[in-house]
Amino acid sequence: MTFSDLPLCRTCGVQYDVSRANCPVCEDERQYVGWNGQQWTTLADLHAAGHRGRIEEEGPGVIGIGAEPAVAVGQRALLVRGKSGNILWDCVPYLDDDMVDQITALGGIDAIAISHPHFYGSMIEWSRAFDAPVYVHAADRAWLGRPDPAVRLWEGRTHELAAGLTLINLGLHFDGAAVLHWRDGAEGRGALLTGDTIMVSMDRRWTTFMYSFPNHIPERPRVIRQAMEALEPFAFERIYAAFWGRTVKIDGMGALRRSAERYMRFALDDR
């Protein structure tokens, strides 16, 4: 592949279609501008600096995809190898030929779905490498740094990507923030892929909810209640969050309910 020279923000990893002085994603109160000011890089620069792909199994039918050394936020994407096709959940800023070859050997990518703007990464580069559409909730359209015909804006509370693969808009973190429910995941017991719309805690029996993780702004209890109501129809055993190893492996829905109840107890201090 030809390494792009389009600007990538060093702090959040979002790629833009033109050179610019600022990164709107980082200037928002949920993110931050790097302490040394706004800085930019490119895919070509990252490759020249020695970054390489990291591709490892994260669970049954789920492949983690990231970079070493980590870039920007440091998230890893997840390739869901479903019966009805391969879905890339979230994106990372980095991509190179070796990653394309490895993922092609796994069956390629049929569609890309993004949880929220912090994980847009270089999603159009990924889209073009695999000729895959990119699904983004319409409520977050203003954050698109590189508009492209490959982007499919969806609306409403749910959108079925393929049989048994459903996007659910929860509104946590960002108005358009979504999770992906995989009915056949976890060997038929169901899996929920959350990015950090819902974050699996370091004690992986629990999750948490934040309006901003780096700036420590808690999520609004009203929005958490709405999100829990939206998830009630969906069964899942596992929860895969945004970073390597951040997985609730058993009783995912139970862990989520307990975590929401604990959050409300502390946030509202009313019981």
Side-chain angles (χ1 to χ4, degrees), residues 10 30 54 67 75 77 98 129 134 160 163 234 237 239 254 269:
R10 281 193 176 273
R30 284 162 286 201
R54 175 182 173 185
Q75 79 274 16
D98 184 57
V134 181
E160 189 173 24
F234 299 91
E237 181 76 1
I239 302 174
D269 195 23

Side-chain angles (χ1 to χ4, degrees), residues 100-163:
V100 172
D101 289 344
Q102 289 188 64
I103 294 167
T104 298
L106 294 170
I109 296 171
D110 296 292
I112 300 168
I114 308 295
S115 63
H116 72 291
H118 292 158
F119 295 163
Y120 285 172
S122 57
M123 63 187 186
I124 302 305
E125 303 285 347
W126 282 83
S127 170
R128 294 183 178 180
F130 294 97
D131 191 25
V134 181
Y135 289 85
V136 171
H137 197 279
D140 286 342
R141 75 172 76 220
W143 299 102
L144 292 169
R146 186 180 173 186
D148 190 272
V151 176
R152 310 283 176 83
L153 296 172
W154 62 280
E155 298 180 334
R157 183 62 78 182
T158 63
H159 179 80
E160 189 173 24
L161 281 177

Side-chain angles (χ1 to χ4, degrees), residues 86-110:
N86 284 359
I87 305 297
L88 183 67
W89 172 247
D90 276 332
C91 200
V92 295
Y94 188 70
L95 179 64
D96 64 24
D97 286 327
D98 184 57
M99 295 170 78
V100 172
D101 289 344
Q102 289 188 64
I103 294 167
T104 298
L106 294 170
I109 296 171
D110 296 292

Side-chain angles (χ1 to χ4, degrees), residues 197-253:
T197 298
I198 297 169
M199 175 58 82
V200 173
S201 303
M202 291 302 289
D203 179 344
R204 293 178 294 180
R205 300 171 299 168
W206 299 87
T207 67
T208 192
F209 321 86
M210 294 290 282
Y211 183 74
S212 168
F213 283 92
N215 296 324
H216 306 294
I217 306 173
E219 188 50 272
R220 298 144 293 181
R222 167 183 54 82
V223 178
I224 295 172
R225 289 194 187 101
Q226 293 171 353
M228 294 301 295
E229 290 173 3
L231 287 170
E232 276 301 325
F234 299 91
F236 48 91
E237 181 76 1
R238 286 193 174 219
I239 302 174
Y240 295 93
F243 300 97
W244 295 101
R246 293 286 194 103
T247 303
V248 175
K249 294 186 176 181
I250 59 171
D251 190 26
M253 181 50 111

